[in-house]
Every structure is written in structure tokens, then in C-alpha cells.
Amino acid sequence: MPSTKILMLSLRKVNYEFYTSSRLKTLSFANFWSATMSLISAHLVRCVGLLLNRFYRWMYAIKPNQMHIWNILCRHRPSVGGGNEDNCITYHKSVSHASDLLKKNNYVMNLTESQVVLAECHDDVYNVSKYSFFYNAIFDEAAILKTLTIEDFLTYVESIDYPNVDVLFLWSTGRCGSTMLAACFEALDNCVSLSEPLDVFVPWELRKKISPEIYHRLLEATLKYHLYQILLQKPETKLVLIKTCSWCFWYPVESSSSSRFNHAFMYRDLEGYYLSSAIFAKVYGNAKRGSLVAKLTDFDHFLDRAINCLIHAVARYSTEKAKELEKILYEEDKLTDIFTGMGTPILYYIYSQLLAQKNVNIVAVKYEEVRKDTISIFQQLLQHINKSVSDEEMERVLESTKRDSQENTSLSSFNKEKFIDPFIRKRINIAVRVLAVFGMEYMSEKGAMLQSTLTS
């Protein structure tokens, strides 16, 4: 891959968007130089942040019932996933009591083996028109950072009553209309819509570094704490919609509290999904595991997190199937082949297992049906969660369905047609292998194995 394209991919760490071929064709020296400087500044901020954080952890050791306050000098948000304290350059400000975490406007930014990192944000981090992803909102709006021990965090969060609010998890394969459906919920009164709140799922990163007991306590506490903060900021809230990224579908398998919430799994026909996600093949091209492009875009780490966590969830049902998946994973080396070819069929399997458990209140919603009649599917989802809405709210919902969430973006303008054959063929071959592990058959006409339990 030409060095200019690599640098343009790196520039995405600043602009946070995909670069299509039309933009690469207009690459000028000025853009080349800007990309180079942006890449250097991004790695400089992270290197300095890493060094300072390790020094501060040694110099300002957190004691029980203490919370350390940190001012932010500068920050640089990564392109994939949420940023954390290592993407910031900070200095120590003061010390307060750990119980201050129960005050308003505090959100979990990150967890380490020994401490919890909170971001204090005073702007409306739930403003979806400003921030498409919640993890970007708390990173950009953080006024100060706070650190306290994990044990103190658990002690105080577990001491509060569980927030009295309904929760609907919207799981999806990606590229399946979940953003469109989430927009319907955003139009409702007393509803807060969260898009990819990684703070709820961050304990996964620590599972091998902390005890199983602490890991499972954190799984329950991070969600409870977020719901608690929502009610502090928006006390009228009755429903919280949590729209997650696809790799988080391990959560209802791992979390013991999943049975208390409602869940909806959105999916689409495989061929349609692979066509819609063809943009990823254009952006990452033939980039392979461990390649320079993968390193510059942090995609290696993201891929490891996105697939291995799902395989871990499969292992909870069958260790033999998980081992077969690991074999397929390491036989493939192209990033987009692995991410799109393996991920979606695994999600199908996890959904089928959750449905069979009976104690998890979950339904499947098919993209093709949402596109055909969004309002009807939305109303059926409302019935599923036993929620009624006014005529005025339904008018706002109807208006929200007229907006294209991908309008004027590279995803909507990208010409996928010339990528159909090479892109789809390879991923279908991988999907067939993965489905065979689960005893599922690929249906060539539609590429779908599930029936919508919402409408059937």
C-alpha cells in the first residue's frame, strides 16, 4: 500500500472518518504534510501520556477512601474505540473523598487492575446530535479526570439502590438499521438513548488481570453506576436505550443481571450486510494482521477485542466450538475478512443460545423488515417492553424515520457495486465455515438463518 494512503488512514485518528478513493485521488502535498504532522502529534501525546501516568501512579499512590483529581493539559482521541487517560497529558490537582464519585456528572472512562478513572463532564454528553458515540462525548467533554481504587468504587456503587428505570439493550450485527431504530426511541419523552457506552463493557479488558469475583462485580457495577448518573442528570427518565457495538454481545452471556432487562437483536441477510460493509474493504484494503496499516489505525487491538470476546462467549456454551473458531481465526490474516466474515455468524449463534435460555427476554428484529415498515416494528418493540406513547410522540418518531443517519457521509456516497464480487465471495466462504461449526446452514437466496421472533 502506498505510503500516502497509509498516512491518510492515520489522519483518520484526527478527523474520525473513513477516507474513500475519491479523496485519495485529490491528495495534495499539503494534505500529505498535515497527515504526517497529525500522526506524529497523536503518537507523541500517547507516549507522553503513558509515561506521565505511570510516573503519577508511583508518585501519587491512591489510598483507601481517596479520590485524586487531575487537570487535563491536552488530549488526542484515537480513531477506533474510546480514548482513556493514556490519550491525555494531565497533572495532579488535588485529593478528595472517594464518596464524591456519587456526585453528578461523573462517568467511567477506563478501568485498570487497581483503579477506576472517571471523567467529570458538565456538558450534555447525551446529546446524540453532537456526539454519535457516547465514549467520544465523555472523552471530549471531560473537564477533569478522577481516579480511585476499584474496591472503593465497588463499595460505594453497591451501597446505592438500583436505579428505577427500564432498560432496552439494542444488540446488532452492524450495518443493520440499529441507528435508524434508535432514532425512533430518541424522539420519545423521558427516554435517554446511549450509543456504544463502552464504560458499561470495559471490565472485559481486565478479565485476565483481576479475580473472577471482582470481574463480575464490576460488570454489574458499571451499568448500575451509569444508570445512577443518568437519573442524577435527567431524573424524569423512564427508559434507557443502550445501542451497543456488535462485539459487546458477550455481555448478556457474562452478566448475571441480563435477565432483569429487555433485549432486542438486530440482524440482516448476510449478503446485504457484506455489501453494505464493503466500505471497510476499501478503507483497509488488503491490510493484514500485524501490518503497518493495522498498527497505525489501532485495528489489530480492536480486532483482537472484537472477535476474541465473542469466541469467549461461545466457549461458555461449547469449548469445542470455540476451539474450532480459534482455528479459523488464525488461518485468516486479512483484517476485513476476519471482522466481517466471522463476527456476524458468531452473533447469530449467541442469539440462538440466549433465546434457548428462556430467562433472557430477547427478540430478533430483521433489518429488511425495519426498512419495509419502521413504525410497525417500532410499535411492536414498544409492546415487547410494555411501553405506551402519546400521539405527539409518535408524530416525532415518524419524522425521525425520514432522516438518513448516513446522509452525506462516505458510507452513503461510496460506490459498492464494483466490490460486490470479490468482497462478498470471500466473506461468504468464511461465514459458511463458521456456520458449519454451529451446525447452521447458509441460505444462498437470502443469507439469513434466523426468523424475527418479534413478528413471527
Side-chain angles (χ1 to χ4, degrees), residues 39 241 369 407:
L39 176 62
L241 175 77
E369 294 176 356
E407 186 178 6

Side-chain angles (χ1 to χ4, degrees), residues 386-455:
N386 297 317
K387 182 174 178 59
S388 59
V389 298
S390 65
D391 293 339
E392 182 182 347
E393 287 176 292
M394 282 306 301
E395 288 180 9
R396 295 200 300 268
V397 169
L398 183 61
E399 186 63 29
S400 71
T401 62
K402 299 176 183 178
R403 297 192 296 269
D404 181 3
S405 62
Q406 303 294 345
E407 186 178 6
N408 297 324
T409 69
S410 57
L411 290 175
S412 62
S413 60
F414 178 60
N415 181 10
K416 311 178 190 76
E417 295 305 318
K418 64 179 180 179
F419 291 100
I420 292 177
D421 287 342
F423 188 86
I424 290 184
R425 275 200 306 269
K426 181 62 183 294
R427 283 142 191 85
I428 285 180
N429 289 337
I430 297 175
V432 168
R433 292 181 64 192
V434 174
L435 291 171
V437 172
F438 303 132
M440 293 180 172
E441 183 180 354
Y442 177 75
M443 297 168 59
S444 59
E445 295 84 3
K446 297 182 179 180
M449 283 62 58
L450 306 178
Q451 293 297 318
S452 173
T453 56
L454 190 65
T455 56

Side-chain angles (χ1 to χ4, degrees), residues 126-294:
Y126 300 110
N127 185 348
V128 292
S129 62
K130 184 177 181 180
Y131 291 105
S132 299
F133 303 108
F134 180 79
Y135 56 78
N136 285 340
I138 61 171
F139 183 80
D140 289 357
E141 298 296 338
I144 56 176
L145 300 183
K146 303 176 179 181
T147 54
L148 70 159
T149 65
I150 283 182
E151 194 54 50
D152 280 342
F153 175 79
L154 290 171
T155 298
Y156 285 105
V157 173
E158 290 172 350
S159 69
I160 60 178
D161 294 333
Y162 210 96
N164 184 22
V165 61
D166 293 327
V167 177
L168 172 62
F169 280 96
L170 192 59
W171 310 100
S172 73
T173 61
R175 311 297 300 150
C176 65
S178 58
T179 300
M180 177 171 53
L181 202 55
C184 295
F185 282 94
E186 291 163 13
L188 300 180
D189 295 330
N190 305 327
C191 177
V192 171
S193 177
L194 294 175
S195 180
E196 303 191 13
L198 297 186
D199 56 305
V200 175
F201 310 106
V202 74
W204 166 262
E205 302 283 344
L206 295 177
R207 72 194 185 285
K208 294 181 180 179
K209 301 176 182 178
I210 56 179
S211 69
E213 178 198 358
I214 297 297
Y215 166 64
H216 286 285
R217 288 173 66 192
L218 281 172
L219 278 183
E220 311 309 319
T222 49
L223 176 59
K224 181 181 180 182
Y225 183 66
H226 197 132
L227 298 176
Y228 169 81
Q229 285 292 337
I230 287 176
L231 291 182
L232 283 182
Q233 184 168 336
K234 299 176 179 292
E236 72 284 357
T237 301
K238 301 298 182 183
L239 173 66
V240 175
L241 175 77
I242 300 181
K243 175 181 168 291
T244 71
C245 41
S246 59
W247 62 265
C248 291
F249 204 32
W250 56 267
Y251 184 84
V253 180
E254 294 276 291
S255 173
S256 60
S257 65
S258 292
S259 58
R260 73 161 70 212
F261 307 121
N262 295 302
H263 304 264
F265 173 59
M266 292 196 67
Y267 73 103
R268 70 186 297 174
D269 290 342
L270 277 177
E271 292 180 8
Y273 166 71
Y274 291 146
L275 175 59
S276 180
S277 58
I279 180 66
F280 298 113
K282 183 61 184 176
V283 173
Y284 292 101
N286 293 319
K288 296 184 178 182
R289 191 199 313 267
S291 67
L292 180 59
V293 174

Side-chain angles (χ1 to χ4, degrees), residues 88 94 110 338 347:
C88 303
S94 59
N110 192 31
I338 297 171
L347 297 178

